[in-house]
Amino acid sequence: MSKYTEDDLREELKTKEYEYGFYTDIESETFPIGLNEDIVRAISKKKEEPQWMTDWRLDAFKVWKEMTEPEWANVNYEKPDFQAIAYYSAPTAVDPNKTLDDVDPDLLAMYKKLGISVDEQKKMNNVAMDIVVDSVSVATTFKKTLGEKGIIFMSISEAIKEHPELVKKYLGTIVPTKDNFYAALNSAVFSDGSFCYIPKGVRCPMELSTYFRINQAGTGQFERTLLVADEGSYVSYLEGCTAPSRDENQLHAAVVELIALDDAEIKYSTVQNWYPGNSEGKGGVYNFVTKRGLCEKNAKISWTQVETGSAVTWKYPSCILKGDNSVGEFYSIAVTNNYQQADTGTKMIHLGKNTKSTIISKGISAGKSQNSYRGLVQINSRADNARNFSQCDSLLMGNECGAHTFPYIEAKNKTAKIEHEATTSKIGEDQIFYCNQRGIDTEKAIALIVNGFSKEVLNKLPMEFAVEAQKLLEISLEGSVG
Amino acid sequence: MLKINNLHASIEDKSILKGINLEVKAGEVHAIMGPNGSGKSTLASVIAGKEEYEVTDGNILFEGEDIEELAAEERAHKGVFLSFQYPIEIPGVSVTNFMKTAINETRKAKGLEDMPAKDMLKMIREKSELLEIDRKFLSRSLNEGFSGGEKKRNEIFQMAMLEPKLAILDETDSGLDIDALRIVANGVNKLKSKDNAVVVITHYQRLLDYIVPDFVHVLYNGRIVKSGGKELAHELEEKGYDWIKEEVNA
Ligand SMILES: Nc1ncnc2c1ncn2[C@@H]1O[C@H](COP(=O)(O)OP(=O)(O)OP(=O)(O)O)[C@@H](O)[C@H]1O
Ligand SMILES: [Mg+2]
């Protein structure tokens, strides 16, 4: 019987299973656990980095050693033991310049399981893809097509070697090493990630996409993404993430920096589906991420995120609206179930005149989870006629979960217009019965209602990923209950 | 098609249906009338399988099968449709998407493939024309911000799309203006055949001028206390329920 009572629903949600929880047995090389200067040096050496990069990492490491983990987020977890993690793991014998055709067949089989048939993606979706397993970028597709337009899309390790002037110019300018504890850690030990540069006036003809996966046990993943859109250019970028189911907690501390120069536009979408832990709250990924973008004159940055995974999420994709008339957007769906905890939101820093920001946040909480929106809208004294609109909606399932909203507003200019709306609702038995009566079972009904609730944000995703994200919402909330 | 025997149902230990007997055959139209709070909507919900209600005695046979153990969606798959007295809002889900999901879920239950988009479109076009519904309306969120009358018309649109064997219309006429009433009633009449049946719950004769019932039943205090032909509805319109209450209490 799949009829709906609060208890049934709760029961049902508990039995959800993580679909991506397989481990692929690919040969890999992993560094010993622990973190010290030698490890930082070894990572840099392994990646054959120039001296300036090694020094940059070592500086970051020094800064990190003096810092303590932030405590202000509305999350509770056992602090990771940073000396018990391996900071580098890579599938062996991977030549980063390989094309997908020569990639280890086991890896390709893994992508299939992830639901991304790379071939298909290549053909149908017009998506260029970079795949990062554990710490290393495995393959970047479409390099040639992009090259013709002068677009650089490669792993950050390659970029450090091939385009040091660009990396040097922008790395750490938006998220400085000492920005926060995890950003400092990332700066010291980041293993790979993506680099992207769109030249002046170029409209990137396809979606750029990176797929991250933690495969090895006991490793942390620290990717670094740097995306520069030169004047008048446009790019849409998507990242996806999964990890195997494991009993211990895995650490993921990424840094993403976006730079949109005058008149440029960046659309950055994330579908985050790290392993959330089991129904008792054991295991799962700690997702501590710093994402920030800078907008110059008339530039626009749009963050769209669908966050369904991770045991603990700490993440605030932000926009610094430096240039006049620049625009920042944040569209977010965060789903928490079982014992998951999410503290996520955004910061919109208005520095320029006539800057505009929009925040749409949809939080969906089930099980015993805690879901917090935390957002800062800051209007600087020189930011005449700045505008912000924020809307934070929460949908609750059952009585044991929590939804929280922490909006902070700092306006130092009288011409600012700031609007904030917030709603909280519950999936009602009447809604479920109505769907049931039309032949839609409870599981599907919840999916339908949740998708409806999230629609404004789903609509912002590139079309081919919206479908995937929609499926992900269903899986996260229902699992394989029949 | 539908046979209800000595049905008793309660909610939160409060007994509401107290021995309903009713038989509806294919091709028939039945009207159920009765004072507020007499149990009409409860009866409709129990037939549709709303789980909050507990059946304490008696049974419901649909096409000869006891449906007691069937979930609401399974009853729907078998062809039971309820037009709600108070249709529910589902924000962000368009009427079209909702109908597509409902139809394909029903097909899936029957082991059929999804309905091809082309057929779905054709069907939507036909049925929306039948009920004189503007296509733009179908892209709006289900029942969200719909006027009372729009909600009711939309219920009958859903009925037209799902082509049920047994349709229970719970006060579909309330909220409809005079023109809308005619359009909706004509729609229902067009969908009627010798193979399906309609149960209309209403307070007013007006609707029954259009959808002419073969039988009229009066539900009072959880029981059907009087049944008759279509004249009974006229009599009720004229005299109200007092004389029936007196008969029952005598
Ligand atoms: N969930 C519930 N909890 C408590 N009492 C209920 C519940 N649902 C129905 N009832 C009661 O059952 C009785 C019958 O209600 P029902 O809605 O079936 O009446 P009705 O005949 O449809 O009335 P109306 O003509 O006003 O629509 C009423 O007294 C009502 O208050
Ligand atoms: Mg009623």
Side-chain angles (χ1 to χ4, degrees):
Chain A
M1 295 280 277
S2 53
K3 242 165 305 145
Y4 174 84
T5 64
E6 291 276 324
D7 289 329
D8 289 345
L9 174 60
R10 222 167 296 143
E11 221 27 66
E12 206 173 358
L13 289 167
K14 273 180 198 151
T15 53
K16 138 196 176 178
E17 279 188 52
Y18 184 67
E19 218 183 72
Y20 302 95
F22 57 87
Y23 163 75
T24 308
D25 196 7
I26 21 184
E27 263 188 71
S28 63
E29 180 195 1
T30 305
F31 274 25
I33 59 166
L35 185 55
N36 52 47
E37 258 190 44
D38 290 341
I39 291 282
V40 176
R41 277 210 180 82
I43 292 170
S44 190
K45 179 145 184 255
K46 188 88 213 161
K47 308 187 80 64
E48 299 164 355
E49 288 175 354
Q51 190 58 42
W52 63 267
M53 196 63 236
T54 314
D55 293 344
W56 197 83
R57 289 177 180 274
L58 288 169
D59 282 348
F61 179 69
K62 276 197 203 99
V63 170
W64 177 73
K65 270 198 310 194
E66 304 302 318
M67 294 175 105
T68 48
E69 274 193 85
E71 305 254 351
W72 44 262
N74 187 27
V75 289
N76 254 308
Y77 60 95
E78 204 176 308
K79 299 270 182 300
D81 177 355
F82 293 96
Q83 296 305 337
I85 297 170
Y87 286 83
Y88 184 83
S89 167
T92 45
V94 169
D95 171 355
N97 292 317
K98 269 183 185 174
T99 68
L100 269 179
D101 302 333
D102 357 88
V103 165
D104 183 345
D106 280 351
L107 267 176
L108 287 179
M110 179 170 99
Y111 304 147
K112 280 240 172 66
K113 275 197 202 167
L114 291 168
I116 41 164
S117 146
V118 181
D119 280 345
E120 249 168 63
Q121 294 254 13
K122 269 208 286 194
K123 275 190 240 121
M124 292 169 53
N125 292 339
N126 206 26
V127 172
M129 196 151 199
D130 186 18
I131 297 165
V132 177
V133 174
D134 290 336
S135 304
V136 152
S137 170
V138 186
T140 308
T141 62
F142 265 128
K143 206 180 243 177
K144 232 176 101 201
T145 328
L146 295 170
E148 285 159 12
K149 295 226 165 211
I151 295 169
I152 304 167
F153 178 44
M154 55 176 56
S155 73
I156 192 126
S157 323
E158 285 175 90
I160 289 167
K161 282 180 247 168
E162 290 180 29
H163 302 280
E165 69 301 335
L166 280 172
V167 177
K168 224 171 166 173
K169 182 168 175 193
Y170 291 110
L171 189 72
T173 56
I174 312 302
V175 179
T177 41
K178 35 177 166 314
D179 188 80
N180 69 70
F181 183 83
Y182 306 114
L185 178 62
N186 175 287
S187 302
V189 303
F190 77 83
S191 30
D192 218 327
S194 297
F195 174 79
C196 173
Y197 172 79
I198 316 288
K200 263 183 205 169
V202 170
R203 206 182 152 82
C204 184
M206 58 186 72
E207 303 284 340
L208 299 184
S209 168
T210 303
Y211 214 93
F212 295 106
R213 175 155 177 92
I214 302 178
N215 198 47
Q216 280 303 320
T219 57
Q221 180 150 333
F222 307 93
E223 359 54 73
R224 185 100 197 178
T225 301
L226 178 59
L227 204 162
V228 183
D230 212 328
E231 291 171 19
S233 67
Y234 167 84
V235 62
S236 169
Y237 188 96
L238 184 122
E239 57 171 21
C241 341
T242 61
S245 312
R246 296 192 185 284
D247 281 350
E248 84 269 23
N249 295 105
Q250 286 177 295
L251 177 63
H252 171 252
V255 171
V256 176
E257 296 176 281
L258 309 185
I259 294 127
L261 298 178
D262 291 359
D263 303 301
E265 180 176 351
I266 301 172
K267 215 171 131 59
Y268 196 102
S269 314
T270 303
V271 175
Q272 185 265 109
N273 186 28
W274 296 117
Y275 178 54
N278 71 6
S279 57
E280 271 104 56
K282 202 167 165 47
V285 171
Y286 290 160
N287 189 34
F288 303 138
V289 172
T290 307
K291 292 183 166 177
R292 196 174 301 152
L294 175 78
C295 286
E296 295 287 358
K297 234 191 287 167
N298 304 322
K300 178 175 174 183
I301 290 178
S302 247
W303 297 101
T304 305
Q305 58 172 25
V306 177
E307 303 277 320
T308 60
S310 299
V312 181
T313 297
W314 179 98
K315 177 180 172 188
Y316 316 90
S318 304
C319 296
I320 303 169
L321 304 173
K322 177 171 166 243
D324 291 350
N325 312 313
S326 58
V327 176
E329 295 176 339
F330 174 74
Y331 301 103
S332 168
I333 302 169
V335 180
T336 53
N337 192 3
N338 296 318
Y339 287 87
Q340 279 177 277
Q341 305 175 64
D343 193 299
T344 183
T346 184
K347 285 188 216 166
M348 293 291 174
I349 313 292
H350 293 252
L351 302 176
K353 294 185 183 33
N354 307 316
T355 46
K356 217 171 106 183
S357 62
T358 305
I359 299 170
I360 310 279
S361 159
K362 305 274 179 178
I364 299 152
S365 343
K368 294 187 164 64
S369 69
Q370 295 296 328
N371 200 328
S372 303
Y373 165 81
R374 187 183 303 276
L376 169 67
V377 176
Q378 192 184 67
I379 314 278
N380 231 263
S381 55
R382 274 162 309 173
D384 293 339
N385 302 315
R387 283 157 178 261
N388 163 268
F389 174 75
S390 304
Q391 186 185 325
C392 303
D393 298 324
S394 308
L395 187 67
L396 294 164
M397 301 189 199
N399 300 317
E400 291 172 283
C401 53
H404 318 272
T405 309
F406 305 100
Y408 305 95
I409 294 167
E410 295 168 13
K412 296 193 185 113
N413 185 310
K414 283 203 190 96
T415 60
K417 276 207 185 114
I418 300 171
E419 284 174 79
H420 180 90
E421 289 175 9
T423 66
T424 302
S425 51
K426 251 181 129 169
I427 291 192
E429 294 177 11
D430 286 348
Q431 283 179 318
I432 301 278
F433 177 62
Y434 190 73
C435 294
N436 290 161
Q437 208 302 303
R438 300 302 189 243
I440 301 166
D441 67 22
T442 300
E443 189 169 312
K444 191 86 193 169
I446 292 169
L448 198 68
I449 294 164
V450 165
N451 276 316
F453 173 78
S454 316
K455 197 174 166 193
E456 276 169 281
V457 175
L458 287 173
N459 283 346
K460 296 289 171 187
L461 285 174
M463 232 237 291
E464 50 274 49
F465 297 108
V467 179
E468 205 174 311
Q470 209 160 324
K471 264 194 248 150
L472 203 54
L473 291 183
E474 287 181 33
I475 294 164
S476 306
L477 288 165
E478 296 143 44
S480 46
V481 193
Chain B
M1 174 168 298
L2 177 73
K3 196 160 191 303
I4 299 175
N5 302 304
N6 189 34
L7 182 68
H8 287 69
S10 59
I11 189 157
E12 290 159 8
D13 295 329
K14 183 179 161 194
S15 158
I16 297 168
L17 301 182
K18 302 165 183 168
I20 303 264
N21 292 293
L22 179 67
E23 181 166 10
V24 179
K25 296 206 177 83
E28 292 178 350
V29 175
H30 288 242
I32 297 179
M33 305 182 80
N36 294 133
S38 58
K40 302 182 296 296
S41 295
T42 303
L43 175 61
S45 298
V46 172
I47 296 171
K50 188 163 188 178
E51 201 152 71
E52 286 75 43
Y53 295 99
E54 195 193 342
V55 173
T56 51
D57 202 1
N59 58 25
I60 305 171
L61 304 180
F62 184 68
E63 301 200 295
E65 181 193 0
D66 189 334
I67 56 172
E68 158 98 59
E69 292 301 322
L70 296 185
E73 66 272 17
E74 293 170 309
R75 300 182 194 200
H77 297 157
K78 289 192 181 296
V80 175
F81 178 89
L82 171 59
S83 168
F84 284 65
Q85 182 175 1
Y86 304 108
I88 309 295
E89 294 179 7
I90 306 189
V93 177
S94 70
V95 177
T96 308
N97 185 17
F98 185 66
M99 273 296 93
K100 191 177 91 186
T101 310
I103 287 174
N104 284 335
E105 287 296 299
T106 302
R107 290 174 68 97
K108 197 164 82 188
K110 292 179 179 157
L112 297 171
E113 298 275 302
D114 280 2
M115 183 182 275
K118 181 168 83 23
D119 298 358
M120 183 84 68
L121 238 123
K122 182 163 169 270
M123 191 164 176
I124 288 176
R125 199 172 302 139
E126 277 171 22
K127 308 295 183 181
S128 57
E129 268 161 28
L130 174 70
L131 291 155
E132 298 182 28
I133 289 175
D134 186 348
R135 214 77 51 72
K136 259 188 270 157
F137 189 80
L138 302 177
S139 64
R140 285 176 56 184
S141 285
L142 187 65
N143 292 320
E144 199 182 30
F146 287 16
S147 74
E150 286 168 345
K151 283 183 185 170
K152 295 303 175 70
R153 193 188 296 217
N154 184 243
E155 291 290 289
I156 302 305
F157 169 70
Q158 294 183 36
M159 168 186 157
M161 291 292 291
L162 292 166
E163 300 178 325
K165 288 190 186 136
L166 173 70
I168 305 167
L169 313 184
D170 192 355
E171 296 198 26
T172 300
D173 52 339
S174 69
L176 291 175
D177 67 40
I178 298 161
D179 292 336
L181 181 71
R182 187 174 34 78
I183 292 161
V184 165
N186 280 341
V188 173
N189 285 334
K190 288 221 180 85
L191 297 167
K192 240 171 50 185
S193 80
K194 63 175 185 8
D195 299 319
N196 58 30
V198 184
V199 175
V200 287
I201 297 171
T202 182
H203 288 296
Y204 304 105
Q205 171 57 38
R206 213 176 46 166
L207 177 68
L208 304 180
D209 288 340
Y210 293 103
I211 306 174
V212 181
D214 301 299
F215 301 93
V216 175
H217 310 278
V218 179
L219 191 64
Y220 174 59
N221 199 11
R223 285 192 196 91
I224 290 180
V225 294
K226 201 168 185 71
S227 296
K230 58 176 188 251
E231 337 64 61
L232 179 56
H234 286 286
E235 202 174 346
L236 291 169
E237 180 100 336
E238 212 173 290
K239 300 203 259 176
Y241 290 111
D242 283 351
W243 63 283
I244 291 194
K245 292 181 188 170
E246 273 161 32
E247 266 183 38
V248 172
N249 297 331

